[in-house]
Amino acid sequence: MAALAAGALLLTAGCSPGDGSGSAAGVGDLPPSRPSSAASGPAPSPSPSVAPPPAKGSVEVVSTLTEGLDSPWGLAELPGGDLLVSSRDKGTITRIDGKSGKKTLLGAVPGVSPGGEGGLLGIAVSPAYGSDHLVYAYFTTASDNRIARMQYDENGTTPGRQLGAPDTILRGIPKGSVHNGGRIAFGPDHMLYAGTGDTGDDGLAQDKKSLAGKILRMTPDGRPLHGNPEADSVVYSYGHRNVQGLAWDGQKQLWASEFGQDTWDELNRIVPGGNYGWPAAEGKAGKKGFIDPVAQWKTSEASPSGIAFARGSIWMAGLRGKRLWRIPLSGRADGEPVAAPQAFLEGKYGRLRTVLAAGGDRLWLVTSNTDTRGTPKPGDDRILALQVR
């Protein structure tokens, strides 16, 4: 705990209308990292052998894996193909058999305080899960948002009691009734990334000393990396309104989806230390000192949450927009898509919260109609298996 407090002192560093302590291990004790653009700036252009995706794609709903989920939010895949899904409002994590869809309650995360857009949000599985069996969670408490890790006892026999006590690795992320961010994911470098929101206080997004309105990068123990833009800070990029989607493309380039306010939702190509403009800029503003999004949408067409990369494209789930967007990437250093975004499944399954790559041309897609802002239908919420091209 003393180490965590010291780490916190060293830190220097949307929701559209209607949308809806650590161990003593250091960086040298972590699993070997693969090359990452995180510490070296923009990703290089692909080799000539890497062909860009076609301008037009396709989506087929292959099956419904499971139904009857309550306020699902985060989704993570275990080795072997089973899934973990978090319930924002119940504060629980459930295991879903990747073939049969059978649900097994692992347990509730202590300290979760649901309310508004807060609760148990993103989850992630440790890159070293085979040896440490750790599951990470981003959640709202009575005082803040924080990230903790829990050991999952797969051999436990007591129903609903297979999660160990939370070990908080980062605390003090500002909370609010809205704009809590919440997506977490391990990158190609085996480091943990988190998207946060401005909590409705937009001035925090430009304050590098605040963890609100940022993308954060840290070790699995929650410590700053000296390869980050500022020494002893977990802040990786700033000027964000509400980041809820994180994904890496085939060039190991980080992408993030972001809620706009009244005009433009965004898909951003993230570079270390980048300022993405909020609240001075929304969408492609062309203002000096700020990085414009690669793609933008009217808030009624998107309100983006989770994103994933598959078949050369970013796939983005829309809440208010009730559709799945495909953004085909060129792989060039400027990040420009090869064609305009393409929408699928418009209105068919209601609000869409999370999309997760399942290997090859497969995706998992999570609906979000039981989050108090949707109109649930029989069977909601559900996880869909998609085939995409």
Side-chain angles (χ1 to χ4, degrees):
M1 294 299 293
L4 284 172
L9 291 173
L10 288 172
L11 296 176
T12 58
C15 205
S16 304
D19 162 69
S21 245
S23 70
V27 175
D29 301 308
L30 300 175
S33 301
R34 289 173 283 174
S36 169
S37 63
S40 58
S45 298
S47 66
S49 62
V50 179
K56 297 294 184 180
S58 65
V59 171
E60 177 186 356
V61 178
V62 177
S63 64
T64 298
L65 177 64
T66 196
E67 298 182 336
L69 299 173
D70 189 308
S71 59
W73 210 101
L75 189 70
E77 185 175 9
L78 290 167
D82 285 359
L83 302 174
L84 299 181
V85 61
S86 63
S87 169
R88 185 193 71 181
D89 297 340
K90 286 190 172 183
T92 57
I93 296 178
T94 298
R95 180 170 182 157
I96 311 294
D97 187 288
K99 294 180 179 179
S100 69
K102 177 184 177 181
K103 293 177 285 191
T104 302
L105 177 65
L106 303 190
V109 178
V112 175
S113 179
E117 295 174 6
L120 180 56
L121 304 173
I123 54 177
V125 171
S126 167
Y129 181 83
S131 59
D132 64 26
H133 293 277
L134 290 175
V135 175
Y136 288 70
Y138 181 116
F139 57 94
T140 311
T141 73
S143 59
D144 63 0
N145 286 300
R146 62 185 60 177
I147 300 171
R149 58 189 179 184
M150 299 154 285
Q151 193 162 54
Y152 169 26
D153 179 8
E154 293 195 36
N155 298 316
T157 58
T158 305
R161 294 184 179 275
Q162 292 178 270
L163 294 175
D167 170 21
T168 299
I169 65 166
L170 184 67
R171 66 182 72 236
I173 304 170
K175 61 167 282 189
S177 60
V178 295
H179 308 176
N180 288 289
R183 194 70 61 183
I184 57 173
F186 281 94
D189 55 0
H190 292 192
M191 297 298 107
L192 183 63
Y193 293 72
T196 73
D198 68 5
T199 72
D201 182 353
D202 57 24
L204 296 178
Q206 291 293 324
D207 180 358
K208 293 184 183 180
K209 295 182 180 180
S210 172
L211 299 181
K214 309 293 189 298
I215 292 175
L216 311 177
R217 176 178 180 253
M218 67 200 80
T219 70
D221 295 320
R223 298 178 181 180
L225 287 156
H226 290 295
N228 280 359
E230 294 190 18
D232 302 320
S233 172
V234 295
V235 173
Y236 191 65
S237 64
Y238 64 109
H240 298 288
R241 185 170 183 266
N242 193 18
V243 175
Q244 288 196 1
L246 298 171
W248 287 262
D249 64 20
Q251 310 300 314
K252 299 182 175 64
Q253 169 64 54
L254 175 60
W255 296 80
S257 60
E258 182 169 345
F259 286 97
Q261 180 168 283
D262 299 316
T263 310
W264 298 114
D265 292 326
E266 302 178 357
L267 177 68
N268 286 296
R269 177 178 175 275
I270 303 301
V271 297
N275 184 347
Y276 289 82
W278 180 255
E282 180 183 358
K284 296 183 179 182
K287 293 186 177 182
K288 185 177 180 180
F290 301 140
I291 299 174
D292 279 350
V294 169
Q296 63 183 20
W297 294 262
K298 294 179 180 178
T299 55
S300 61
E301 297 177 345
S303 295
S305 190
I307 62 173
F309 176 77
R311 290 299 189 191
S313 297
I314 292 290
W315 301 84
M316 186 179 82
L319 290 166
R320 187 181 175 198
K322 300 179 181 179
R323 66 199 80 177
L324 179 70
W325 285 99
R326 173 186 183 264
I327 304 94
L329 303 181
S330 65
R332 298 193 307 263
D334 61 10
E336 286 301 309
V338 298
Q342 184 181 7
F344 297 94
L345 308 179
E346 186 173 350
K348 190 170 182 179
Y349 295 97
R351 292 160 57 84
L352 305 179
R353 170 68 68 180
T354 296
V355 57
L356 179 70
D361 61 355
R362 297 301 178 103
L363 295 174
W364 297 114
L365 181 63
V366 182
T367 66
S368 187
N369 298 309
T370 58
D371 66 347
T372 73
R373 292 183 174 177
T375 303
K377 296 179 180 179
D380 278 337
D381 273 310
R382 62 197 78 206
I383 299 176
L384 306 171
L386 309 182
Q387 183 177 35
V388 301
R389 296 192 187 280

